[in-house]
């Protein structure tokens, strides 16, 4: 096996510290220590822009998950975490946010070589939002409050009842995350679990383990006690399944495909674990006839092509009023043709490769299916770098109908399907809502009142009006229908990690 301490010759160079870090076998974080997998197994991590191996990572499975859960249980029940004051917990979370910012450059470089996304994008989006999530959540540690509730139950004469609610951490949480935003998904999951006082076993994606493993080092540097966060690199069918079905895990929080989301629910159903899910999408993006096209065209372009279309909330089904349909499609094609594809570390790269050969085959399979079903394909640019990388040029498919696979299914690549509409009526809303998913949507129009009316009728957890991809740690994010259960971020996410206890006390001696 050819494990390289240096970045492959076909890739731009990495800073020497990172090169050295990648040269060492990366281990699992269990009970505050970096340890190899019990089985001794490792797996290779590749740079999707070159197909070359860049690191070797311990491959955790059931035995490692068992140890990690044990450590998390001890940290929750009797370790320092259970005794730490909310204010100390908040300060620690804030420090983690600061450390992420201090290491922004390095974390962004890891995302670039592991996931393929451009480093500058990873720094501006993934890393910044990850730090924001810890900073925002650090404030909640001291604000998780119960209520005193007047009740009508009859007490004996001369006595009274006093009732309060007490939110309590749910316990040991198993978290499973995907590869499209490796660091950010870890932050979205860890920060709220920690602020509520839970302990965690985090199973990171096999395609992209590097930035979350580096984050694990920063957690220890911040002073997180042993066992509070355990990080398992490994595969879904082994490590992921062991975590989802583990009898001593109180709750599973998952982000990934709807298909695996259903498996998680099944695994968790044996002992009725709490489950929250952030799953797929096929989000409608609607351009009304009065839209400001100088905003809507670049907006629709970014809605689908940001992160190479590998976003659960990608605006992948475009609906445009017939009067402006050709102008909008031509405009998006022109914008998309300017996107510079390349290695994530190369100067000027705006779009990297897809994350893996599996996703490359999958997305190309959808493009072929679209062609077979009679869609008209516009290839935008097509200036794909030579070599082994998993690059796919942006595509727009027109002449599509609602029964086509490319219109119904999540492609998770740079492929937009575009359909004209004639009226802003119930038929348009019904078509926009005609999906098993309900994660996000966009509406573009100068008459914001009318755009709001459309927004109210869309069955989606997030609707952006005259903007897209606006994320904030303070805003709840999650899906209707088969896009998931529960919400990430904002105050709303806290309920994913809390149980509510009602305590009623009889006052008085009679
Ligand atoms: P996936 O859903 O299989 O993987 C996500 C995570 O779940 C990974 O950590 C994986 O190891 C784990 N996992 C897989 N099987 C598991 C099991 N049986 N039990 C427990 N954990 C398991 O997603 P995949 O295969 O990487 O991508 C396939 C498609 O899923 C994509 O093309 C895309 O459509 C969708 N997807 C959606 C994401 C989202 O953010 N909503 C993220 C990633 C993928
Ligand atoms: Mg899978």
């Amino acid at each position: 096996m050819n494990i390289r301490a240096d970045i492959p010759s076909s890739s731009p160079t990495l800073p020497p510290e990172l090169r050295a870090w990648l040269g060492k076998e990366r281990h699992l974080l269990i009970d505050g220590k970096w340890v190899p997998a019990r089985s001794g197994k490792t797996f290779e991590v590749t740079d999707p822009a070159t197909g070359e191996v860049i690191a070797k990572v311990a491959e955790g499975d059931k035995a490692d998950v068992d140890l990690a859960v044990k450590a998390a249980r001890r940290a929750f029940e009797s370790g320092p975490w259970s005794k730490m004051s909310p204010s100390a917990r908040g300060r620690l979370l804030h420090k983690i946010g600061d450390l992420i910012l201090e290491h922004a450059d390095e974390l962004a470089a890891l995302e670039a070589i592991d996931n393929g996304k451009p480093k500058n994008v990873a720094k501006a989006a993934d890393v910044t939002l990850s730090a924001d999530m810890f900073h925002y959540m650090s404030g909640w540690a001291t604000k998780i409050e119960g209520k005193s509730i007047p009740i009508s139950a009859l007490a004996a004469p001369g006595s009274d009842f006093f009732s309060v609610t007490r939110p309590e951490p749910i316990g040991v949480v198993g978290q499973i995350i995907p590869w499209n935003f490796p660091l950010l998904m870890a932050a979205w999951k860890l920060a709220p679990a920690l602020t509520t006082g839970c302990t965690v076993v985090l199973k990171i994606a096999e395609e992209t383990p590097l930035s979350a493993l580096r984050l694990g080092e920063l957690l220890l540097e911040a002073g997180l006690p042993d066992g509070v966060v355990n990080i398992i690199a490994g595969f879904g069918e082994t490590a992921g399944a062991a975590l989802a079905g583990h009898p001593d895990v109180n709750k599973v929080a998952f982000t990934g495909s709807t298909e695996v989301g259903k498996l998680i629910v099944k695994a968790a159903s044996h002992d009725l674990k709490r489950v929250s899910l952030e799953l797929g999408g096929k989000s409608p993006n609607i351009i009304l006839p009065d839209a400001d096209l100088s905003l809507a065209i670049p907006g629709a372009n970014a809605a689908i092509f940001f992160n190479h279309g590998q976003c659960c909330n990608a605006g992948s089904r475009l609906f445009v009023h017939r009067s402006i349909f050709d102008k909008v499609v031509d405009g998006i094609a022109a914008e998309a043709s300017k996107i510079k594809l390349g290695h994530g570390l190369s100067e000027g790269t705006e779009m990297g490769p897809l994350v893996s050969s599996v996703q490359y085959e999958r997305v190309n399979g959808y493009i072929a299916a679209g062609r077979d079903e009679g869609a008209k394909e516009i290839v935008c640019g097509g200036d794909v770098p030579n070599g082994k990388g998993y690059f796919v040029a942006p595509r727009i498919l027109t002449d599509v109908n609602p029964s086509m696979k490319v219109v119904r299914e999540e492609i998770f690549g740079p492929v937009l399907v575009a359909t004209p509409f004639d009226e802003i009526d119930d038929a348009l809303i019904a078509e926009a809502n005609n999906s098993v998913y309900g994660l996000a949507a966009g509406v573009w129009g100068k008459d914001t009142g009318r755009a709001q009316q459309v927004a109210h009728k869309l069955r989606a957890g997030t609707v952006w009006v005259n903007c897209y991809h606006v994320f904030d740690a303070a805003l709840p994010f999650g899906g209707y229908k088969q896009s998931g259960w529960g919400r990430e971020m904002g105050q709303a996410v806290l309920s994913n990690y809390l149980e509510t206890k009602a305590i009623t006390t009889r006052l008085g001696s009679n």
Side-chain angles (χ1 to χ4, degrees), residues 8 10-11 46-54 343 353 387-391:
S10 48
S11 310
T46 54
D47 176 346
T50 63
E52 291 177 63
V53 175
I54 50 168
H343 193 285
K388 288 185 260 164
Y390 311 127
F391 292 95

Side-chain angles (χ1 to χ4, degrees), residues 102-123:
E102 273 171 41
H103 293 268
D105 214 60
E106 177 192 339
L107 290 165
L110 281 176
E111 294 300 55
I113 56 165
D114 198 359
N115 165 282
K117 63 181 73 191
K119 182 183 160 192
N120 60 343
V121 174
K123 198 168 166 181

